[in-house]
């Protein structure tokens, strides 16, 4: 019985030693998490992007108010069509500006993460929103905000499709204006017949 107990103890000890050796050889990969939303809100490039979009939005709103006032004074179909067309162009410009800001901010964020991961010899950086549980030591959000603050991102107005091809826009405008004039003439002609 003593030999059996001694054999079991020796066998368990050998298994524990082998398990310990394997664990030492395979170190767990270094993983970190980052709160991207917080980085975009609190970093200098994120704040600059928001300020840029607010400035562009204010200018677009002023442009729309001017067009709206003109359309209300005139109250013709032509002026209403002109206002609707201008509103569509304003929306396209705003969408293009938003995509430009998001694209530049995402590029800077990814480069910052890649540099940080290489410097800290991390295997993976995961978004905090998608991780069920993590320790505060693995949260690198503050470090990434500090690194992003050192990055310069310039947000410049990109030309909207209508501005890129100015020759095409007047032809479309003239065709739409002629269609509006014909539509306005039809009711006038019918009134004369009565």
């Amino acid at each position: 019985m003593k030999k059996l107990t001694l054999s079991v103890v020796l066998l368990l000890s050998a298994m524990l030693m082998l398990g310990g050796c394997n664990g030492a050889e395979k170190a767990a990969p270094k993983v970190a998490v980052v709160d991207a939303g917080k980085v975009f809100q609190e970093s200098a490039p994120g704040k600059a992007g928001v300020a840029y979009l607010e400035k562009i939005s204010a200018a677009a709103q002023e442009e729309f108010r001017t067009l709206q006032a003109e359309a209300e004074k005139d109250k013709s179909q032509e002026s209403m069509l002109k206002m609707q067309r201008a509103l569509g162009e304003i929306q396209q410009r705003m969408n293009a500006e938003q995509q430009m800001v998001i694209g530049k901010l995402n590029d800077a964020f990814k480069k910052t993460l890649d540099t940080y991961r290489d410097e800290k010899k991390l295997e993976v950086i995961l978004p905090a929103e998608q991780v069920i549980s993590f320790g505060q030591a693995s949260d690198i959000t503050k470090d990434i905000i500090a690194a992003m603050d050192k990055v310069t991102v310039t947000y410049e107005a990109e030309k909207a499709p209508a501005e890129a091809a100015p020759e095409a826009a007047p032809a479309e405008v003239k065709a739409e204006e002629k269609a509006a004039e014909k539509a306005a003439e039809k009711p006038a002609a019918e009134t004369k017949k009565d």
Side-chain angles (χ1 to χ4, degrees):
M1 179 86 166
K2 286 185 181 185
K3 285 185 181 183
L4 180 61
T5 305
L6 185 59
S7 297
V8 169
V9 169
L10 287 175
L11 182 61
L12 286 174
S13 297
M15 287 175 45
L16 287 173
M17 288 172 53
L18 287 175
C21 291
N22 287 340
E25 289 175 17
K26 288 185 177 181
K30 289 186 172 184
V31 178
V33 296
V34 65
D35 183 344
K38 193 172 183 179
V39 172
F40 292 152
Q41 289 174 350
E42 296 181 13
S43 68
K47 290 176 182 177
V50 169
Y52 175 79
L53 289 175
E54 287 173 351
K55 182 179 104 179
I56 297 296
S57 178
Q61 288 174 0
E62 185 60 35
E63 182 181 350
F64 177 70
R65 282 189 207 108
T66 303
L67 290 169
Q68 189 176 24
E70 289 173 10
E72 286 175 2
K73 286 179 186 176
D74 189 1
K75 294 189 183 195
S76 70
Q77 274 188 321
E78 183 180 332
S79 64
M80 292 304 245
L81 286 172
K82 182 180 175 183
M83 184 184 76
Q84 288 175 346
R85 213 174 21 258
L87 179 60
E89 291 171 4
I90 290 169
Q91 288 173 333
Q92 285 180 340
R93 278 197 323 259
M94 285 303 300
N95 288 339
E97 294 292 342
Q98 288 174 342
Q99 292 304 315
M100 180 268 300
V101 168
I102 290 169
K104 287 185 174 191
L105 195 53
N106 278 333
D107 288 346
F109 181 61
K110 178 150 178 20
K111 287 176 185 174
T112 301
L113 288 178
D114 288 343
T115 301
Y116 186 89
R117 183 181 48 78
D118 289 343
E119 287 174 359
K120 301 296 180 179
K121 305 214 182 318
L122 297 171
E123 292 295 320
V124 177
I125 299 175
L126 300 170
E129 311 77 52
Q130 296 180 355
V131 177
I132 295 172
S133 178
F134 59 89
Q136 288 302 316
S138 63
D139 186 356
I140 60 169
T141 303
K142 288 181 181 177
D143 294 342
I144 299 302
I145 291 171
M148 286 283 289
D149 285 345
K150 296 174 185 174
V151 174
T152 302
V153 179
T154 55
Y155 303 107
E156 298 172 8
E158 293 184 353
K159 291 185 178 180
E163 294 173 6
E167 296 85 31
E172 292 173 11
V173 170
K174 288 180 182 177
E176 289 178 12
E177 287 175 357
K178 286 182 181 179
E181 288 174 9
K182 287 180 182 179
E185 289 173 3
K186 285 182 183 179
E190 289 173 6
T191 308
K192 288 180 182 178
K193 288 180 184 177
D194 293 335

